[in-house]
């Protein structure tokens, strides 16, 4: 591999090594938790 | 290294490689469709179409992680080399699996809409300011376009047309595709997945690929120049029919020194095919053999044996008191330099 490609490759993966797990973990932390289902819609008044 | 254009230079190795890859993909999809329904959440059951979309989506992600792991794994342990030889075939298969995933997703989400499916895909969701509901599909589209571009240009015709330097630069965009896939999964499937298995697999793959790349990309030790000659170490450090790599201190490319039949020869470390690391290869049948795809070059002039026409830059070297010194100025590719006898 050419030196320039190798240097780009090295820097890219040093950044990605932190970035990729951080994205996954952050997205997991920001998930909506608890009840997420909409309440049931009452179509007609109870008899 | 072909003398005429052929779509694919099939041989037994390639056929076996592709057959195994297809079988593994087929088994994975079948097992996923068979097992996954048992793990879905009781309140959010998925139908067959959604299962198919998930099966091909996870398969494409795993294949992409595998492809990105092959390069560094090979540098760390040559036993992985057989996986590297036809990595491009695996890339084309991955693109095909990813297209199937995208097609299933289009069918699942937009089949019953009022507007065109592609228009709905691109314009239907504009929730850019929230994590839950973010239009993650756009990341998937971007990654898919890169995969298709790389699959289309994976043939040696494009390698020759674009030159190895441009081709390699283009194919490094696979890293951007992987980042985009991770964003696609993080803002999409991981936001709605009820089972922690998906998050665990994604995290494991991401950390595994990153650790392999960082571990395999150690900075080479550069060699100082004395009186215009590079010190390349002791002769005894070079094994018969093997090579070592010397990295000059300036921006020059690394040099490979080989020992064969009691003589030393030096050529550039960059294979003329895809810039593969020649010093990690061996001397087979009297020729330097690239570890990536088996391209061969003669030791004395760096030329590929006839009828092939590739040629490498050669270097002068000499031996003083059992130590090797090399002239870092490259000769014109194909220049004859008599191998130096080891005393």
């Amino acid at each position: 591999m050419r030196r320039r490609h190798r240097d780009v490759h090295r820097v890219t993966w040093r950044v990605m090594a932190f970035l990729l797990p951080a994205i996954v973990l952050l997205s997991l932390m920001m998930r909506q938790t608890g009840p997420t289902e909409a309440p049931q819609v009452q179509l007609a008044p109870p008899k | 290294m072909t003398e005429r254009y052929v779509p694919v230079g099939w041989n037994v190795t390639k056929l076996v490689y592709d057959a195994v890859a297809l079988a593994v993909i087929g088994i994975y999809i079948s097992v996923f469709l068979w097992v996954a329904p048992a793990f879905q959440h009781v309140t959010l059951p998925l139908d067959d179409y959604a299962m198919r979309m998930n099966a091909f989506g996870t398969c494409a992600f795993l294949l992409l992680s595998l492809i990105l792991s092959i390069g560094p794994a090979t540098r760390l342990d040559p036993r992985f080399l057989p996986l590297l030889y036809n990595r491009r075939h695996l890339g084309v298969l991955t693109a095909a699996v990813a297209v199937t995933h995208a097609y299933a997703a289009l069918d699942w989400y937009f089949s019953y809409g009022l507007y065109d499916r592609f228009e709905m895909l691109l314009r239907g969701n504009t929730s850019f300011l929230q994590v839950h509901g973010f239009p993650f599909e756009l990341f998937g589209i971007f990654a898919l376009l890169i995969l298709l571009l790389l699959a289309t240009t994976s043939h040696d015709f494009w390698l020759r047309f674009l030159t190895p330097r441009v081709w390699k630069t283009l194919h490094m965009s696979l890293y951007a595709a992987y980042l985009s896939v991770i964003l696609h999964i993080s803002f999409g499937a991981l936001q709605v997945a009820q089972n922690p298995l998906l998050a665990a697999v994604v995290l494991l793959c991401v950390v595994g690929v990153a650790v392999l790349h960082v571990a395999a990309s150690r900075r080479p030790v550069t060699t100082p120049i004395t009186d215009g000659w590079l010190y390349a170490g002791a002769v005894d450090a070079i094994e018969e029919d093997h090579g070592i790599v010397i990295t000059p201190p300036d921006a020059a490319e690394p040099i490979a020194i080989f020992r064969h039949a009691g003589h030393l020869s030096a050529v550039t470390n960059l294979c003329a095919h895809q810039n593969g690391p020649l010093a990690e290869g061996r001397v087979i049948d009297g020729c330097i053999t690239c570890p990536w795809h088996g391209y061969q070059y003669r030791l004395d002039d760096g030329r590929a044996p006839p009828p092939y026409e590739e040629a490498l830059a050669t270097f002068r070297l000499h031996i003083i008191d059992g130590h090797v010194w090399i002239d870092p100025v490259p000769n014109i590719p194909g220049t004859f330099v008599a191998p130096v006898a080891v005393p």
Side-chain angles (χ1 to χ4, degrees):
Chain A
M1 194 187 291
R2 282 192 179 276
R3 177 177 283 213
R4 191 172 167 199
H5 285 142
R6 200 177 54 228
D7 291 344
V8 170
H9 173 275
R10 182 183 296 117
V11 172
T12 301
W13 279 103
R14 294 255 162 98
V15 174
M16 296 260 272
F18 291 98
L19 188 62
L20 296 180
I23 290 170
V24 176
L25 290 173
L26 273 174
S27 74
L28 289 172
M29 287 165 61
M30 296 176 84
R31 270 166 58 107
Q32 282 188 348
T33 54
T36 55
E37 292 166 28
Q40 287 186 346
V41 177
Q42 198 169 357
L43 297 177
K47 293 180 180 175
Chain B
M1 203 159 159
T2 50
E3 54 191 315
R4 61 186 176 82
Y5 178 82
V6 286
V8 178
W10 290 108
N11 56 33
V12 175
T13 309
K14 286 180 182 173
L15 287 170
V16 170
Y17 190 100
D18 287 7
V20 170
L22 279 169
V24 169
I25 291 170
I27 290 169
Y28 175 84
I29 299 292
S30 304
V31 170
F32 188 101
L33 294 174
W34 182 44
V35 172
F39 289 91
Q40 62 184 337
H41 200 269
V42 68
T43 61
L44 291 170
L46 298 175
D47 60 17
D48 290 346
Y49 296 103
M51 279 293 173
R52 215 169 297 156
M53 177 180 71
N54 290 347
F56 281 97
T58 53
C59 185
F61 168 69
L62 291 172
L63 282 171
L64 200 53
S65 300
L66 173 66
I67 289 169
L68 283 167
S69 302
I70 289 174
T74 304
R75 295 188 81 87
L76 294 170
D77 190 336
R79 283 178 295 181
F80 289 103
L81 271 172
L83 286 175
L84 186 75
Y85 291 140
N86 299 301
R87 185 171 51 173
R88 283 182 283 175
H89 290 220
L90 211 50
V92 173
L93 279 174
T94 303
V97 172
V99 166
T100 312
H101 162 72
Y103 189 75
L106 272 175
D107 259 0
W108 166 242
Y109 285 111
F110 305 113
S111 274
Y112 302 106
L114 293 174
Y115 304 101
D116 179 72
R117 291 188 299 175
F118 292 100
E119 187 181 348
M120 288 292 288
L121 174 68
L122 295 172
R123 296 175 55 187
N125 185 358
T126 54
S127 308
F128 289 101
L129 299 178
Q130 59 189 59
V131 173
H132 197 81
F134 189 90
F136 65 95
E137 299 89 350
L138 298 179
F139 293 122
I141 294 170
F142 178 69
L144 186 62
L145 290 176
I146 292 180
L147 288 180
L148 289 173
L149 176 68
L150 300 191
T152 308
T153 57
S154 65
H155 193 276
D156 269 355
F157 165 79
W158 288 102
L159 183 67
R160 282 191 291 272
F161 180 74
L162 296 171
T163 71
R165 180 182 293 197
V166 174
W167 188 88
K168 189 70 186 174
T169 304
L170 176 69
H171 279 244
M172 284 173 85
S173 63
L174 187 64
Y175 305 156
Y178 195 59
L179 173 63
S180 201
V181 165
I182 297 303
L183 288 165
H184 176 66
I185 296 171
S186 298
F187 284 101
L190 287 185
Q191 295 301 310
V192 294
Q194 300 291 324
N195 195 311
L197 184 63
L198 178 66
V201 170
V202 170
L203 208 52
L204 195 69
C205 286
V206 160
V207 171
V209 171
V211 165
L212 274 174
H213 275 275
V214 171
S217 65
R218 291 184 299 271
R219 186 178 291 278
V221 178
T222 56
T223 310
I225 294 181
T226 307
D227 296 332
W229 289 82
L230 277 172
Y231 177 61
V235 171
D236 296 342
I238 310 173
E239 293 177 45
E240 180 70 11
D241 288 339
H242 285 74
I244 60 167
V245 63
I246 299 299
T247 306
D250 54 7
E253 298 297 345
I255 302 164
I257 302 175
F258 285 90
R259 181 171 181 162
H260 173 65
H263 288 73
L264 296 184
S265 306
V267 296
T268 176
N269 192 42
L270 303 172
C271 178
H273 177 220
Q274 278 188 23
N275 293 331
L278 291 172
E280 294 175 23
R282 288 186 298 136
V283 177
I284 299 174
D285 297 331
C287 288
I288 299 164
T289 306
C290 180
W292 281 9
H293 302 98
Y295 274 52
Q296 291 193 303
Y297 307 93
R298 292 194 298 240
L299 287 151
D300 51 9
D301 59 7
R303 291 183 185 275
Y308 307 113
E309 296 175 345
E310 290 85 358
L312 306 173
T314 54
F315 294 82
R316 293 188 303 138
L317 52 79
H318 60 216
I319 300 172
I320 301 174
D321 297 333
H323 293 270
V324 185
W325 295 83
I326 189 160
D327 180 356
V329 179
N331 294 312
I332 294 169
T335 303
F336 177 85
V337 176
V340 177
V342 176

